[in-house]
């Protein structure tokens, strides 16, 4: 998350309390926000030194124990492969994206492209002041071998159907390859936006709203089963909470996440476990999900 002017932060700190509970398309009753599920998180691994501004995280579909990570705006146009199978994360490879600029890289999703090929999607979607004319997603095939490489991604350009928005969450449904972006709003519900299926390179694609999302949403991910997804919030302006929904948007659970200085990332380690991290903390955590938040597992 890019730095915000001090006057904005001071004003934001005095804003109304954050509404962590989004409005669901379902009319089913939802638990109060204060009853978030609490299960003991476990330390997963510490990140290598080159990831001090972690802003996107995705678990590999080809290499067990590997997570892909990226830094946000002002950093390189690179994706890092980290072995998180032990307590100390080991850098295994760096992928440099040709023709891609890190304007404000804020999210990542690992999942199939339109041909079913496992791919890494990099979301250059951050827009703190809602001023960008377009945002972009860069996609390249997940490598068979973990070694430093230069890759040539496919670029997808997007605008929102209802104006400009800040966003830090990129999701990809593994069952139908549908891509989503969730906006990040302070003190009010954000929205989940759907991309065309499939999105087209070489033209601007329109993102259309489908349902509400939590306030101050800093990342999101689909479960490997495709039957649920999570959107998370994090400090300093949102609760450290993961909101888990079924594929139709009905909320299944609220899950307490570790308190980190700037909770920014979430992915699924497996269909029963989240992996979360922070921009200003090198520790990744595993967070178990309650049974009701893990359909299809």
């Amino acid at each position: 998350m890019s730095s915000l002017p001090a006057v904005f932060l001071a004003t934001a700190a005095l804003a109304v309390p954050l509404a962590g509970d989004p409005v669901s398309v379902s009319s089913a009753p939802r638990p109060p926000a204060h009853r978030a599920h609490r299960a003991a998180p476990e330390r997963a691994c510490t990140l290598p030194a080159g990831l001090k501004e972690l802003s996107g995280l995705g678990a590999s579909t080809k290499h067990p124990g590997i997570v892909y990570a990226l830094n946000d705006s002002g950093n390189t146009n690179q994706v890092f492969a980290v072995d998180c199978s032990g307590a100390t994360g080991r850098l295994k490879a760096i992928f440099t994206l040709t023709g891609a600029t890190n304007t404000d890289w804020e999210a990542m999703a690992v999942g199939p492209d339109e041909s079913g090929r496992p791919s890494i999607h990099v979301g250059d979607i951050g827009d703190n002041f809602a001023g960008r004319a377009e945002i972009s997603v860069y996609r390249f095939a997940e490598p068979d071998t973990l070694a430093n490489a230069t890759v040539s991604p496919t670029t997808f350009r997007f605008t929102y159907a209802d104006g400009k928005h800040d966003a830090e969450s990129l999701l990809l449904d593994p069952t139908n390859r549908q891509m989503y972006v969730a906006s990040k709003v302070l003190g009010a519900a954000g929205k989940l936006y759907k991309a065309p299926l499939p999105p087209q390179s070489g033209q601007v694609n329109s993102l259309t709203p489908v349902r509400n999302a939590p306030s101050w949403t800093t990342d999101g991910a689909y479960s490997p089963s495709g039957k649920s997804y999570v959107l998370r919030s994090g400090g300093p302006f949102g609760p450290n909470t993961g909101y888990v929904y079924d594929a139709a948007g009905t909320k299944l659970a609220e899950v307490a996440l570790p308190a980190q200085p700037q909770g920014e990332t979430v992915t699924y380690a497996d269909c029963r476990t989240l992996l979360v991290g922070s921009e200003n903390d090198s520790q990744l955590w595993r967070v178990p999900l309650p049974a009701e938040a893990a359909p299809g597992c």
Side-chain angles (χ1 to χ4, degrees), residues 78-81 91-96 145-151:
Q78 294 175 316
V79 171
F80 303 82
L91 182 62
K92 301 294 289 185
I94 300 175
F95 304 106
T96 302
T145 303
L146 296 177
N148 292 352
T150 298
V151 298

Side-chain angles (χ1 to χ4, degrees), residues 45-139:
C45 71
T46 55
L47 293 169
L51 285 159
K52 292 187 179 300
E53 293 189 273
L54 177 70
S55 202
L57 193 67
S60 171
T61 61
K62 287 188 172 185
H63 308 284
I66 296 295
V67 293
Y68 300 108
L70 55 81
N71 289 314
D72 73 356
S73 59
N75 288 282
T76 61
N77 55 332
Q78 294 175 316
V79 171
F80 303 82
V82 178
D83 184 348
C84 195
S85 59
T88 301
R90 294 179 296 148
L91 182 62
K92 301 294 289 185
I94 300 175
F95 304 106
T96 302
L97 281 60
T98 61
T101 301
N102 187 342
T103 302
D104 198 356
W105 288 14
E106 289 287 1
M108 178 186 294
V110 182
D113 64 11
E114 60 269 14
S115 300
R117 179 178 59 172
S119 300
I120 298 171
H121 301 70
V122 173
D124 190 354
I125 60 176
D127 189 7
N128 284 332
F129 301 105
R132 295 179 66 177
E134 297 178 6
I135 57 175
S136 299
V137 173
Y138 302 110
R139 185 188 72 195

Side-chain angles (χ1 to χ4, degrees), residues 2-287:
S2 303
S3 298
L4 302 180
V7 64
F8 176 82
L9 295 182
T11 302
L14 297 175
V16 295
L18 296 179
D21 188 17
V23 178
S24 171
V25 293
S26 170
S27 60
R30 294 168 295 171
H34 68 274
R35 295 180 61 187
H37 170 81
R38 294 184 180 274
E42 299 176 348
R43 293 180 183 271
C45 71
T46 55
L47 293 169
L51 285 159
K52 292 187 179 300
E53 293 189 273
L54 177 70
S55 202
L57 193 67
S60 171
T61 61
K62 287 188 172 185
H63 308 284
I66 296 295
V67 293
Y68 300 108
L70 55 81
N71 289 314
D72 73 356
S73 59
N75 288 282
T76 61
N77 55 332
Q78 294 175 316
V79 171
F80 303 82
V82 178
D83 184 348
C84 195
S85 59
T88 301
R90 294 179 296 148
L91 182 62
K92 301 294 289 185
I94 300 175
F95 304 106
T96 302
L97 281 60
T98 61
T101 301
N102 187 342
T103 302
D104 198 356
W105 288 14
E106 289 287 1
M108 178 186 294
V110 182
D113 64 11
E114 60 269 14
S115 300
R117 179 178 59 172
S119 300
I120 298 171
H121 301 70
V122 173
D124 190 354
I125 60 176
D127 189 7
N128 284 332
F129 301 105
R132 295 179 66 177
E134 297 178 6
I135 57 175
S136 299
V137 173
Y138 302 110
R139 185 188 72 195
F140 64 98
E142 186 177 0
D144 293 322
T145 303
L146 296 177
N148 292 352
T150 298
V151 298
S152 298
T154 301
T155 301
F156 299 100
R157 299 154 55 206
F158 296 96
T159 58
Y160 297 93
D162 58 356
K164 301 173 183 177
H165 304 283
D166 190 17
E168 295 189 357
S169 307
L170 178 68
L171 300 84
L172 187 71
D173 185 334
T175 64
N176 61 11
R177 305 164 182 106
Q178 178 67 63
M179 187 186 301
Y180 298 90
V181 172
S183 63
K184 186 181 76 171
V185 181
L186 179 64
K191 288 183 179 179
L192 189 68
Y193 291 83
K194 180 173 68 173
L197 184 64
Q200 301 296 313
S201 60
Q203 68 182 56
V204 179
N205 300 269
S206 180
L207 294 166
T208 56
V210 291
R211 63 182 67 102
N212 281 3
S215 64
W216 204 252
T217 300
T218 58
D219 204 6
Y222 255 88
S223 164
S225 72
K227 294 184 180 297
S228 59
Y229 64 91
V230 62
L231 296 171
R232 71 156 296 172
S233 186
F237 301 116
N240 290 296
T241 302
Y243 304 92
V244 185
Y245 307 86
D246 68 15
T250 300
K251 189 166 66 174
L252 302 176
E254 296 182 6
V255 181
L257 305 179
Q260 293 182 289
Q262 199 166 321
E264 286 249 346
T265 60
V266 66
T267 189
Y268 278 82
D270 55 54
C271 68
R272 293 184 174 88
T273 311
L274 300 179
L275 191 65
V276 301
S278 169
E279 184 171 318
N280 294 315
D281 184 351
S282 62
Q283 182 67 52
L284 296 185
W285 293 84
R286 289 190 182 90
V287 180

